[in-house]
Amino acid sequence: EAVFADNGDATSPGNTIARAANRAEYSPIHERSKQVPPAATTCSNCTISASGELSKCYCSKTFTARIDLSNHGIRSVLNGAFSEVKDSTSLREIDLSNNMVEFIEPGAFARLHSLQTIRLNDNPVAEPAIGLHKHRRVTTGYPGLPLTLFDSIEPTAQLFFQECCWYAASAVSGFLKNYQYVLWH
């Protein structure tokens, strides 16, 4: 039986994803992530516009394990933002935490099949939209996350929506698609 975070609020992201995700695809919330080896190369040579658009990361090193973009004032991540990573098979982690990210374009994580961790915590994009359904507050989805955003990455990749907790990419992807279907059908 999976253990789900429950803060008593039926609209919390943990409860919503836990209810919507297929048990076979859901990875219980964990307090620790896969660690990038300390000797791993980090890349932070990225282009961020004055309006906060992350458009490209240029990582020319043969082995780049981590891209740390935390606390950079990023508001959106554009399609192909990580397409200039020379060795995308070595990239294990992208840290976008503690920014102001409101939207991530489809294709932003394309070609990153070896990615194990994406940190989105402390960004508006990681907060669910809340609405009313039959006089109850319910999560109406994540408007800043396109339905197919996580399809090209490893299904077991860890997505951090909160600092302490992660969800498997396949569970979040399934949730986004299933929830969108339920809302419109």
Side-chain angles (χ1 to χ4, degrees):
E1 179 86 17
V3 177
F4 304 111
D6 185 357
N7 64 5
D9 180 1
T11 63
S12 74
N15 293 339
T16 304
I17 292 173
R19 283 193 310 271
N22 178 328
R23 283 184 187 254
E25 292 180 339
Y26 182 74
S27 176
I29 297 172
H30 292 275
E31 302 230 352
R32 294 191 181 125
S33 67
K34 298 174 189 173
Q35 297 296 315
V36 175
T41 303
T42 299
C43 170
S44 59
N45 184 19
C46 300
T47 303
I48 303 168
S49 72
S51 62
E53 290 183 336
L54 171 63
S55 57
K56 288 284 182 203
C57 283
Y58 303 93
C59 302
S60 59
K61 298 175 183 173
T62 304
F63 184 84
T64 300
R66 184 170 195 265
I67 297 177
D68 185 1
L69 295 167
S70 60
N71 300 301
H72 278 75
I74 298 169
R75 298 184 72 81
S76 61
V77 181
L78 302 183
N79 179 8
F82 303 101
S83 63
E84 299 293 323
V85 176
K86 182 177 181 179
D87 182 12
S88 63
T89 60
S90 66
L91 185 59
R92 300 289 184 259
E93 179 178 352
I94 295 175
D95 187 349
L96 291 164
S97 65
N98 299 303
N99 281 292
M100 297 175 286
V101 178
E102 296 174 344
F103 186 74
I104 302 174
E105 287 186 358
F109 302 119
R111 293 187 335 103
L112 303 178
H113 306 293
S114 299
L115 202 57
Q116 294 175 355
T117 304
I118 300 174
R119 296 183 184 280
L120 296 172
N121 51 291
D122 299 312
N123 282 291
V125 76
E127 296 296 323
I130 305 297
L132 290 175
H133 178 70
K134 296 183 182 178
H135 307 291
R136 294 182 62 201
R137 289 181 52 194
V138 295
T139 300
T140 58
Y142 291 82
L145 300 177
L147 302 180
T148 57
L149 182 62
F150 303 114
D151 285 358
S152 67
I153 64 172
E154 180 65 33
T156 59
Q158 300 170 349
L159 305 178
F160 283 80
F161 281 48
Q162 300 167 3
E163 189 174 350
C164 68
C165 314
W166 62 267
Y167 301 98
S170 60
V172 174
S173 186
F175 167 77
L176 291 172
K177 291 172 187 169
N178 290 333
Y179 202 78
Q180 184 72 14
Y181 179 81
V182 169
L183 284 176
W184 298 108
H185 291 89

